[in-house]
Amino acid sequence: MLSLADIREARERVSGVARHTPLERSRSFSEMSGADLHLKLENFQRTGAFKIRGAMNRIATLTEAEREAGVVTASAGNHAQGVALAAGRAGVDATVVMPKFAPVSKVKATRGYGASVRLEGVDYDEAQAYAHQLEREEDRTYVHAFDDPVVMAGQGTLGLEIVDDCPELDTVVVPIGGGGLISGVAVAIKEQLPDVRVVGVQAEGAASAAKSLEAGELREIDSVDTIADGIATRSVGERTLEVMAEYVDEVVTVDDREIALALTLLLERSKTLVEGAGAVALAAVLSEAFEYDDGETVVAALCGGNIDLNRLGTVVRRGLVQMGRYLKITIDLKDRPGELERVSSIVARTGANVYAVHHDRTSRDVAVNAAELELELETDDAEHAADIVDALEAEGYDVEILS
């Protein structure tokens, strides 16, 4: 099984490439949660995620014959970039298989680091199956994204940094996709500070770890559906499950609404950009997915920042909805002069700001002498949004809340 010595050796191999990323106390999130909350800013890592640690360690341990034959891997994006950069620096040819719907930004970045990219399958698991086919056909070495002790040891160097920078910690919260990161981090921390609690977090739409741990063997889910694409795997690994069973204290889940809220709050309060997978640890703390004491020193690992800009707008909008800062409504109006102005004046009196207005007389869902008005409004909070709806209904309008 993975050992602390393995992780310490990995640190020597990856130190020239992987950065020692900052660990900072967040006053805002400490006040919001009641915990003494620190953020491990792995989104500042080279390639934007922790994956370079494990990839670099694995590439560094290839035999000469393996280096000459090249490597192949499968990834939703972050591991892809890690392998591409590590292989490029070592002069090793790399082929990366990514799902067809992988974020465009991650595909372009992987190619930019010099790897050959093939898009196959609808998710990570289908991409992985094709990558193993290439492994056999081209005699390449497969670099697993998580279920490899050498990769796990590389990821564990993040845990060494947490202990170095915050030796007083009580709890560390780590995302789980396939389990490579939490396995390495848990060993690195527990072997030095055995009383520290290790909490794993999965997205609700990709939650296989708790089922597998409860069963004592792998349990694969049929499909994944989450904005946290970086941890969207159907199953953890056999080797990672073994380590988690021994070293991880608890596994919890968060839903996409909680992830979106945490991501949005990080942007607003900490000026920190993360991807969905990078926000799940904070989401678990803020949503109280697990119990912690007031003043407890908690470290949340923000494992990556590679979010596609097209998706960012959608996720932030969801986060604003959760904060009560965005309101989308429809109203049926009488199709007569002055009605739109009347609604506008009511909204103006409430102090809301209008994002967008859509006025439709042709919808099949409204009467011939009526029109449908759709409003997107910027609001202060949930109470303000409720006041707007109340003000419109008090004037006789039937309001439907869309989001």
Side-chain angles (χ1 to χ4, degrees), residues 2-16 53 56-58 60-61 149-150 152-157 160 188:
L2 181 66
S3 71
L4 180 59
D6 294 330
I7 299 170
R8 285 176 169 160
E9 289 176 6
R11 177 158 62 178
E12 296 300 315
R13 297 191 190 101
V14 308
S15 60
R53 298 174 183 269
M56 194 68 205
N57 196 43
R58 184 67 184 91
T61 58
V150 180
M152 293 154 60
Q155 320 302 28
T157 61
L160 297 180

Side-chain angles (χ1 to χ4, degrees), residues 2 7 42 49-51 53 145-147 151-159 162 173-188 198 231 240 243-244 248 277 301-304:
L2 181 66
I7 299 170
E42 193 65 6
F50 72 93
K51 291 288 191 176
R53 298 174 183 269
F146 49 85
D147 205 26
V151 172
M152 293 154 60
Q155 320 302 28
T157 61
L158 186 148
I162 291 174
V173 190
V174 185
I176 301 177
L181 177 63
I182 195 170
S183 295
V185 169
V187 171
V198 178
I231 55 173
T240 59
V243 176
M244 285 190 288
V248 176
L302 309 186
C303 66

Side-chain angles (χ1 to χ4, degrees), residues 43-369:
N43 54 309
F44 292 162
Q45 185 55 262
R46 293 190 68 173
T47 73
F50 72 93
K51 291 288 191 176
I52 184 61
R53 298 174 183 269
M56 194 68 205
N57 196 43
R58 184 67 184 91
I59 296 296
T61 58
L62 293 174
T63 66
E64 189 59 37
E66 289 171 334
R67 290 167 61 90
E68 291 180 1
V71 298
V72 63
T73 192
S75 170
N78 288 334
H79 177 65
Q81 294 173 70
V83 169
L85 176 60
R89 289 179 63 91
V92 175
D93 184 70
T95 296
V96 176
V97 184
M98 303 176 74
K100 293 178 180 178
F101 305 112
V104 173
S105 59
K106 293 183 179 182
V107 175
K108 289 185 175 181
T110 303
R111 287 178 172 146
Y113 287 123
S116 172
V117 176
R118 302 194 189 187
L119 302 178
E120 295 287 341
V122 298
D123 59 17
Y124 167 78
D125 297 270
E126 291 188 5
Q128 183 185 47
Y130 185 76
H132 281 305
Q133 180 182 326
L134 294 180
E135 174 192 12
R136 294 187 296 269
E137 292 175 353
E138 301 179 6
D139 197 29
R140 292 175 177 265
T141 297
Y142 186 80
V143 180
H144 205 288
F146 49 85
D147 205 26
D148 180 331
V150 180
V151 172
M152 293 154 60
Q155 320 302 28
T157 61
L158 186 148
L160 297 180
E161 293 176 11
I162 291 174
V163 172
D164 289 344
D165 296 341
C166 189
E168 71 277 12
L169 82 158
D170 298 308
T171 298
V172 61
V173 190
V174 185
I176 301 177
L181 177 63
I182 195 170
S183 295
V185 169
V187 171
I189 290 177
K190 287 279 197 178
E191 287 296 316
Q192 298 179 85
L193 303 171
D195 293 334
V196 170
R197 180 174 52 157
V198 178
V199 177
V201 188
Q202 288 200 296
E204 190 175 85
S208 64
K211 296 176 182 178
S212 296
L213 287 167
E214 183 178 354
E217 60 183 14
L218 289 183
R219 287 287 187 265
E220 182 176 304
I221 58 179
D222 294 333
S223 62
V224 294
D225 182 15
T226 175
I227 61 174
D229 59 90
I231 55 173
T233 59
R234 296 185 203 169
S235 173
V236 297
E238 292 183 4
R239 296 177 180 86
T240 59
L241 179 62
E242 181 182 3
V243 176
M244 285 190 288
E246 181 168 346
Y247 288 93
V248 176
D249 296 285
E250 184 178 359
V251 175
V252 299
T253 62
V254 290
D255 61 32
D256 278 0
R257 295 175 303 166
E258 292 161 338
I259 297 170
L261 176 59
L263 188 153
T264 305
L265 286 170
L266 278 164
L267 274 174
E268 183 174 65
R269 301 295 181 89
S270 297
K271 309 303 180 281
T272 298
L273 176 65
V274 298
E275 60 190 281
V280 296
L282 179 61
V285 178
L286 297 180
S287 66
E288 298 183 352
F290 64 96
E291 294 183 0
Y292 53 85
D293 296 329
D294 287 345
E296 181 174 335
T297 301
V298 178
V299 173
L302 309 186
C303 66
N306 294 317
I307 188 167
D308 186 82
L309 291 180
N310 289 325
R311 172 166 287 189
L312 177 61
T314 301
V315 174
V316 169
R317 186 62 55 84
R318 288 192 186 185
L320 290 172
V321 170
Q322 292 300 109
M323 296 163 68
R325 300 269 294 279
Y326 172 84
L327 176 65
K328 186 175 182 179
I329 59 176
T330 60
I331 307 168
D332 287 346
L333 301 180
K334 291 294 183 182
D335 190 13
R336 60 192 180 194
E339 279 297 298
L340 182 58
E341 181 181 2
R342 181 170 176 239
V343 170
S344 297
S345 65
I346 296 169
V347 170
R349 286 200 303 271
T350 67
N353 187 38
V354 178
Y355 275 129
V357 177
H358 181 68
H359 186 256
D360 186 6
R361 290 186 176 91
T362 62
S363 173
R364 295 180 180 179
D365 297 327
V366 296
V368 175
N369 63 340

